[in-house]
């Protein structure tokens, strides 16, 4: 099975997320990760969708997403030509003896501690999925009480960008 990351530009209107996610569920495709947010044009949102499947299946996903009415443009983000990031917040139970060990791990992974209470720390980390998974593996010997992951966000490297005005004109 291969992994594919799609960057989908859509009209920022009610129901678009439901229609795109519905396409995946109706066809029996699983979404590994989904993030959505406005672009620099408030009328357009960018959806980053990660999915796994056989090459033929992934190709069908792209074709079917492109057919949706609210979809402006679909980009397949290649690993070599794109930058991916994910945000995670991790709440770790920590007494005074464990704090320094956790802080050492946080420093190694270049993360931030964003909240401290007498019994816990909240760690914020941004990076690739493998970095996040590595951090979680290192924290495995501590009591992790909550994890919140955003999912993958991705963008093409270099000058491979889009011009919203040109895309609106094509639509």
């Amino acid at each position: 099975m291969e992994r594919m990351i799609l960057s989908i530009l859509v009209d920022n209107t009610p129901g678009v997320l439901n229609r795109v996610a519905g396409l995946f569920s109706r066809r029996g495709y699983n979404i590994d990760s989904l993030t959505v947010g406005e672009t620099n044009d408030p009328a357009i949102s960018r959806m980053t969708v990660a999915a796994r499947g056989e090459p033929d299946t992934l190709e069908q996903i792209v074709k079917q997403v492109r057919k949706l009415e609210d979809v402006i443009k679909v980009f397949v983000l290649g690993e070599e030509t794109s930058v991916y990031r994910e945000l995670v917040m991790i709440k770790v139970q920590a007494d005074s003896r464990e704090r320094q060990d956790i802080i050492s791990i946080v420093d190694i992974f270049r993360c931030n501690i964003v909240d401290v209470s007498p019994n816990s720390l909240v760690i914020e980390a941004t990076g690739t999925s493998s970095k996040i998974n590595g951090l979680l593996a290192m924290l495995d010997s501590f009591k992790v009480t909550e994890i919140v992951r955003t999912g993958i966000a991705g963008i093409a490297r270099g000058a491979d960008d889009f011009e919203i005005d040109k895309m609106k004109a094509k639509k």
Side-chain angles (χ1 to χ4, degrees):
M1 285 235 244
E2 293 181 12
R3 180 174 90 155
M4 175 179 64
I5 310 285
L6 294 178
S7 181
I8 307 167
L9 296 175
V10 297
D11 293 326
N12 188 6
T13 56
V16 174
L17 173 61
N18 189 40
R19 286 187 283 281
V20 172
L23 179 143
F24 278 79
S25 67
R26 281 191 309 277
R27 304 285 195 281
Y29 306 143
N30 189 42
I31 295 174
D32 292 339
S33 170
L34 172 65
T35 58
V36 183
E38 273 186 9
T39 64
N40 50 328
D41 180 342
I44 298 177
S45 290
R46 178 189 298 261
M47 303 175 84
T48 306
V49 181
R52 290 185 190 279
E54 298 302 321
D56 293 346
T57 302
L58 297 175
E59 187 177 318
Q60 283 301 311
I61 290 172
V62 173
K63 288 177 182 177
Q64 291 170 3
V65 169
R66 284 188 174 129
K67 290 180 185 178
L68 291 174
E69 182 179 328
D70 300 307
V71 172
I72 299 167
K73 184 88 173 165
V74 178
F75 302 90
V76 177
L77 298 176
E79 286 196 39
E80 301 298 319
T81 59
S82 304
V83 178
Y84 306 133
R85 291 294 180 267
E86 184 175 356
L87 169 70
V88 66
M89 291 184 290
I90 308 162
K91 188 182 290 183
V92 183
Q93 192 173 342
D95 59 25
S96 58
R97 295 175 312 221
E98 296 172 310
R99 263 182 223 280
Q100 193 53 51
D101 292 337
I102 294 169
I103 290 169
S104 295
I105 293 169
V106 166
D107 288 343
I108 290 168
F109 281 87
R110 293 187 213 140
C111 305
N112 298 308
I113 296 175
V114 294
D115 185 66
V116 178
S117 73
N119 300 322
S120 67
L121 300 170
V122 176
I123 301 164
E124 172 191 72
T126 305
T128 63
S129 295
S130 61
K131 174 185 174 179
I132 302 299
N133 293 337
L135 172 62
L136 291 170
M138 290 298 294
L139 293 171
D140 198 39
S141 61
F142 301 96
K143 174 81 170 143
V144 174
T145 58
E146 287 184 72
I147 299 174
V148 178
R149 287 180 92 150
T150 61
I152 296 170
I155 193 166
R157 293 181 186 274
D160 291 343
D161 61 355
F162 61 90
E163 293 183 42
I164 291 173
D165 292 332
K166 287 181 184 177
M167 283 186 243
K168 282 183 183 176
K170 289 180 185 177
K171 200 169 178 191

